[in-house]
Amino acid sequence: IGANGLGKSTFLNTLNFGITGAVPDPNRKFQSAPDYYEDASRSNRTEDYFGGRISEEKRAIATVTVELAWPSKTITVTRNIFQGSKVAKISLKDLSSQEVETVLAVDAKDDTVPQLRYESEILALTGLEDFSQFVFLFHFVSTFDEGRHLLMWDRGALTN
């Protein structure tokens, strides 16, 4: 809670971007989880949103790292804010063996490898069928921001 312009929504949207690779668009009508995820994760949406919030000289180093914890595993995910919505780095820690595996986009021949690994780990840990469902839950159920079409305020989202 705080006055307008302090960065409350920017902070929440940065966390959401780190976790989901998507920046919510309050002006977009909800159609379906896959459609919403495709639109909210497009690179120009991310650049438009963060462009006015991060100075030009800091954009090359602008990243967000978030650690997500489950009883059996922790996932640490890093995204470069101005280099698309793909995962730049993912570290997976198995809590029973304490083994850590790290996958970097620069080490992979295909820069989608960390993103795909992140999505598959999230789906395995949550039991969801599709990553867009995870994005939906974060943007419409888990995070409150008065500028959003939240679950109870949007009939299309509620039926999904």
Side-chain angles (χ1 to χ4, degrees):
I1 297 172
N4 289 338
L6 294 178
K8 301 177 302 294
S9 294
T10 300
F11 177 74
L12 286 175
N13 286 335
T14 304
L15 285 178
N16 273 323
F17 174 73
I19 295 166
T20 66
V23 177
D25 183 353
N27 298 320
R28 185 163 191 305
K29 184 166 173 48
F30 182 84
Q31 300 282 324
S32 68
D35 182 55
Y36 175 82
Y37 176 50
E38 181 180 336
D39 184 67
S41 64
R42 69 190 197 289
S43 61
N44 64 339
R45 169 74 188 128
T46 305
E47 289 176 18
D48 288 348
Y49 181 80
F50 289 111
R53 293 166 171 80
I54 298 173
S55 66
E56 189 72 41
E57 64 270 2
K58 302 291 185 193
R59 291 182 187 186
I61 61 168
T63 61
V64 57
T65 300
V66 180
E67 183 176 279
L68 303 169
W70 277 266
S72 62
K73 187 176 278 190
T74 61
I75 299 175
T76 304
V77 59
T78 299
R79 295 180 194 271
N80 299 317
I81 293 177
F82 290 96
Q83 295 176 12
S85 62
K86 293 181 193 148
V87 172
K89 176 183 175 184
I90 177 175
S91 292
L92 308 159
K93 182 176 183 181
D94 183 309
L95 297 178
S96 62
S97 68
Q98 298 298 308
E99 287 184 37
V100 177
E101 176 188 359
T102 300
V103 180
L104 299 168
V106 294
D107 290 343
K109 292 179 182 171
D110 178 356
D111 70 351
T112 63
V113 170
Q115 177 70 30
L116 295 174
R117 181 65 188 276
Y118 176 69
E119 290 180 11
S120 70
E121 290 290 334
I122 292 293
L123 296 181
L125 289 163
T126 61
L128 296 170
E129 294 177 16
D130 185 85
F131 191 74
S132 67
Q133 294 172 333
F134 180 72
V135 174
F136 170 82
L137 289 172
F138 252 86
H139 287 210
F140 287 86
V141 180
S142 298
T143 308
F144 179 79
D145 180 342
E146 73 280 355
R148 306 243 188 91
H149 297 281
L150 296 174
L151 189 62
M152 301 306 286
W153 299 350
D154 189 318
R155 174 170 251 142
L158 186 58
T159 58
N160 273 268

